[in-house]
Amino acid sequence: MFRNKTYNRKKILIVFTVVMLLLCVLVGRLVYLMIFCSQYYGQKAEDLHERERDIKAARGKILDANGVVLATNRTVCTISVIHSQMEEPEKIIQVLSKELGMEEGEVRKRVEKVSSIERVKSNVDKETGDCIRAYKLPGVKVDEDYKRYYPYDSLASKVLGFTGGDNQGIIGLEVKYEDYLKGTNGKILTLTDARGVEIENAGERRQEPVDGYNLHISLDYNIQMYCEQAARRVMEQKSADSVSVIVINPKNGEIMAMVNLPEFNLNEPFTGGQTQDQLNQMWRNQCINDTYEPGSIFKVVTAAAALEEGVVSVDDNFFCPGYKMVEDRRIRCAKAGGHGAETFTQGIMNSCNPVFIEVGLRLGVDNFYKYFEQFGLLNKTGIDLPGEAVTIMHKKENVGPVELATISFGQSFQVTPIQLAATVSSIINGGKRVIPHFGVDIRDNQGNVVETFQYDTEKQIVSEETSETMRTLLEKVVSEGGGNKAYIEGYSIGGKTATSQTLPRSAHRYISAFMGFAPAEDPQVLTLFIVNNPQGIYYGGMIAAPAVKDIYSNILPYLGIEKEEIVQEEPDSSE
């Protein structure tokens, strides 16, 4: 009996000890949670009873060289419903379907969905949002938001680009400078009870949004308009597939205009294409995304390389019978009867293929490719737009005499228009390689400069002497040669025509182009004008050169480039 009592006491003591230890652990844990972790779990509890809504940041503007706003924002609204706060769901369905122009079934699906907050429609006009707000329907939230707006609709559409549903950049400058333009969204935090209903008089916490920075670019609204009008006239007159125009400052690479007709409406970027492929084609920037055979404008590159290498001089003599035999190939000149005897200067003025075939053969494959590298032709230009294509060129080891001959006058390989414009700019500006670009600087809403973009213009690709010679030769092309339809009395303009045939040759489709710069002795502006598949007469000197004349008649005075006074000689009174 005594032994059983002793055993029971021990058993009770063990149980009591275990229970006390457990209680101590629990009390210790409770003290730890209540004292040491109170802030952490208090925040967790608060988060469970807080509803979070975004306050969209205003996206930065895009402004032209003179401060004209090319891309800005419009206030729109986002309509949402909070299921736990609704009192009259049927009325809400009727009102929202009516005001938002939505199918009743679609609205009902969103209104009856059990969730903390459900978006019904975004990008709603502010007037419509204000109208819905005036109904004062419990459970319906009208939050103001921003939608990208382009004041000039299609102006420079493939340069500016556009934004998506969340106001993020999709193409063009909008996506390239996304990190500067986008800003940082803010938040509204409201307290709710266990049912998710907002607590009255509990107030709200706000984290204010930070607006995006403004992007200032070199594109000039007025020059862009002049170019688009000239391009549209040519496109309509010649029933062309497309027209591209680049206007660039050859000294520093700043692009003043870039036209890609047909353009599209930036405020309705998804209108005009049924499939994604069609949309991609519509948004495609031909000046940087597409390559083409440059034709005779490339003779500028061949001539510069030959002069720099010393294999030709301006007074060298040539003879053109209308063709040149290279191995077993007869390569024809544009003039069937030939130009006869001519100097190198006259060969450029006449755009004579046999002259340039001879010059190309003198240069040789190794030297040609050396200058391709030196001029930057085999690399991308580095333009501040996405999707730049690269030059499509023969592998050096695959270039024989025939390939070398056709390369010398701009056929059998392809470059982008922007690469051609940048390379010719670099040849005629004193020999400094330029990086074509739009971005100038980033500023805040007070106009303070946050960042200025720097572009390298120090690489010398040809000597100043060669550059000066090229300017003189190309001025003669316009004043006396095949580019004479770009001539404007009182202005010294240099330039080069081009007419190339697209593949397959049997389709008889052509690309007509003209490259011109002014003033010839000190170039301030260079323009490349390209017409794709013109109908009827297709020669670059007949189609593109007059268009550049039209553009320069407007923009040279606008840029403050004055005409030279023409001094007429007095008649000799002694006669």
Side-chain angles (χ1 to χ4, degrees):
M1 190 74 177
F2 178 76
R3 181 184 290 175
N4 286 339
K5 287 182 179 180
T6 302
Y7 174 76
N8 288 336
R9 285 196 195 100
K10 287 182 178 179
K11 191 174 181 180
I12 292 169
L13 183 63
I14 290 169
V15 171
F16 179 77
T17 303
V18 170
V19 169
M20 289 303 295
L21 286 172
L22 288 172
L23 284 173
C24 287
V25 170
L26 291 172
V27 169
R29 179 65 176 167
L30 188 62
V31 169
Y32 173 75
L33 293 175
M34 293 180 66
I35 296 175
F36 296 102
C37 297
S38 59
Q39 185 174 357
Y40 173 77
Y41 284 102
Q43 184 63 46
K44 282 282 190 183
E46 189 174 318
D47 289 346
L48 287 172
H49 292 283
E50 275 188 336
R51 178 173 290 115
E52 180 182 289
R53 304 203 310 275
D54 283 338
I55 311 173
K56 290 292 181 68
R59 191 172 176 86
K61 299 174 183 176
I62 300 178
L63 302 97
D64 87 335
N66 299 310
V68 176
V69 177
L70 303 177
T72 184
N73 307 292
R74 272 185 172 173
T75 301
V76 293
C77 297
T78 297
I79 313 300
S80 307
V81 291
I82 300 172
H83 187 270
S84 59
Q85 294 182 5
M86 291 189 296
E87 296 175 1
E88 301 176 275
E90 287 301 322
K91 183 178 180 180
I92 289 173
I93 291 168
Q94 294 299 319
V95 168
L96 294 186
S97 59
K98 173 190 170 185
E99 298 295 341
L100 297 177
M102 295 175 65
E103 293 289 335
E104 184 178 314
E106 181 65 21
V107 175
R108 182 178 297 278
K109 185 169 69 174
R110 296 177 186 276
V111 169
E112 293 180 349
K113 184 177 179 180
V114 180
S115 61
S116 59
I117 185 167
E118 180 70 19
R119 181 184 298 179
V120 179
K121 192 173 183 180
S122 58
N123 289 330
V124 176
D125 291 341
K126 189 175 185 302
E127 294 77 11
T128 304
D130 290 340
C131 183
I132 293 171
R133 190 183 284 117
Y135 283 96
K136 296 182 179 179
L137 296 169
V140 177
K141 287 290 180 184
V142 180
D143 293 321
E144 291 194 354
D145 199 348
Y146 294 103
K147 181 181 180 182
R148 204 58 161 164
Y149 174 64
Y150 303 91
Y152 303 104
D153 289 330
S154 63
L155 184 88
S157 60
K158 298 175 185 181
V159 173
L160 297 176
F162 59 91
T163 61
D166 292 329
N167 233 16
Q168 82 283 4
I170 299 293
I171 64 169
L173 295 174
E174 289 278 23
V175 69
K176 182 66 178 182
Y177 291 97
E178 171 73 10
D179 290 342
Y180 294 101
L181 293 167
K182 67 181 179 181
T184 305
N185 289 341
K187 297 183 185 301
I188 300 175
L189 299 169
T190 54
L191 288 175
T192 64
D193 60 20
R195 295 172 300 157
V197 178
E198 290 186 7
I199 301 172
E200 290 188 24
N201 304 319
E204 63 182 22
R205 290 192 294 135
R206 293 174 66 91
Q207 179 182 328
E208 295 299 330
V210 179
D211 292 345
Y213 290 124
N214 298 325
L215 171 65
H216 288 248
I217 62 176
S218 58
L219 185 140
D220 187 305
Y221 164 79
N222 293 307
I223 296 177
Q224 181 75 19
M225 282 294 292
Y226 287 138
C227 292
E228 286 196 9
Q229 289 166 3
R232 193 168 289 109
R233 280 193 293 272
V234 172
M235 188 168 176
E236 291 173 356
Q237 290 168 4
K238 303 303 296 181
S239 300
D241 291 351
S242 63
V243 178
S244 301
V245 187
I246 298 172
V247 180
I248 187 172
N249 182 336
K251 290 184 178 294
N252 58 19
E254 288 187 350
I255 299 171
M256 294 180 267
M258 181 177 283
V259 178
N260 292 276
L261 291 186
E263 303 274 2
F264 65 92
N265 189 339
L266 288 166
N267 293 307
E268 297 179 0
F270 295 93
T271 301
Q274 301 299 319
T275 66
Q276 189 60 51
D277 285 344
Q278 289 174 338
L279 289 171
N280 290 339
Q281 194 62 37
M282 183 177 74
W283 299 336
R284 195 172 182 85
N285 184 330
Q286 301 99 292
C287 289
I288 67 163
N289 301 142
D290 294 342
T291 58
Y292 81 112
E293 288 189 354
S296 291
I297 292 175
F298 194 78
K299 291 171 182 173
V300 175
V301 176
T302 303
L307 288 168
E308 188 76 359
E309 190 62 23
V311 299
V312 73
S313 70
V314 294
D315 296 322
D316 279 6
N317 292 305
F318 298 85
F319 185 82
C320 169
Y323 64 90
K324 187 170 181 66
M325 294 299 300
V326 180
E327 292 190 329
D328 60 343
R329 293 278 297 277
R330 177 185 287 231
I331 303 176
R332 299 183 181 281
C333 183
K335 187 175 182 180
H339 294 102
E342 56 188 338
T343 64
F344 182 60
T345 300
Q346 292 169 326
I348 291 181
M349 291 165 57
N350 296 328
S351 195
C352 180
N353 285 350
V355 168
F356 278 86
I357 292 171
E358 174 62 30
V359 170
L361 295 173
R362 288 185 192 181
L363 260 175
V365 175
D366 289 339
N367 279 328
F368 234 135
Y369 275 74
K370 179 184 78 173
Y371 284 103
F372 286 162
E373 291 282 357
Q374 187 169 311
F375 292 173
L377 276 164
L378 300 182
N379 303 313
K380 294 181 180 181
T381 65
I383 188 173
D384 51 347
L385 284 175
E388 181 183 5
V390 70
T391 299
I392 301 173
M393 181 64 74
H394 302 277
K395 288 184 177 180
K396 183 178 174 181
E397 57 270 23
N398 296 335
V399 176
V402 173
E403 289 77 19
L404 183 59
T406 54
I407 288 171
S408 68
F409 58 85
Q411 289 190 6
S412 78
F413 70 98
Q414 297 187 354
V415 298
T416 59
I418 192 62
Q419 177 63 270
L420 190 60
T423 302
V424 175
S425 292
S426 305
I427 288 171
I428 55 99
N429 70 2
K432 301 280 190 181
R433 177 70 192 189
V434 294
I435 298 174
H437 61 274
F438 289 96
V440 175
D441 58 42
I442 297 293
R443 303 184 194 183
D444 61 22
N445 285 328
Q446 287 70 48
N448 302 310
V449 176
V450 175
E451 182 178 344
T452 300
F453 300 114
Q454 303 294 329
Y455 303 92
D456 182 21
T457 55
E458 296 303 313
K459 184 181 178 183
Q460 193 81 30
I461 64 168
V462 293
S463 65
E464 291 189 13
E465 181 183 0
T466 296
S467 180
E468 183 179 359
T469 301
M470 289 304 305
R471 292 196 297 271
T472 301
L473 291 171
L474 294 171
E475 190 279 331
K476 289 182 179 295
V477 171
V478 174
S479 62
E480 305 174 39
N484 61 81
K485 293 194 179 299
Y487 177 75
I488 302 174
E489 187 175 352
Y491 285 114
S492 59
I493 297 172
K496 187 72 193 72
T497 61
T499 307
S500 57
Q501 197 172 4
T502 62
L503 297 174
R505 309 292 188 203
S506 58
H508 300 293
R509 293 166 59 94
Y510 297 88
I511 294 177
S512 306
F514 180 78
M515 176 281 304
F517 58 90
E521 63 279 0
D522 183 24
Q524 307 293 315
V525 58
L526 179 143
T527 300
L528 178 60
F529 196 103
I530 301 172
V531 186
N532 183 21
N533 193 29
Q535 303 304 302
I537 296 173
Y538 52 80
Y539 298 111
M542 300 293 289
I543 301 172
V548 173
K549 176 181 179 178
D550 184 18
I551 291 170
Y552 278 175
S553 296
N554 286 293
I555 74 171
L556 294 183
Y558 172 76
L559 292 171
I561 301 173
E562 298 181 356
K563 287 186 175 183
E564 300 172 354
E565 290 187 15
I566 300 174
V567 180
Q568 293 185 346
E569 293 183 5
E570 293 290 334
D572 191 342
S573 59
S574 63
E575 294 182 359

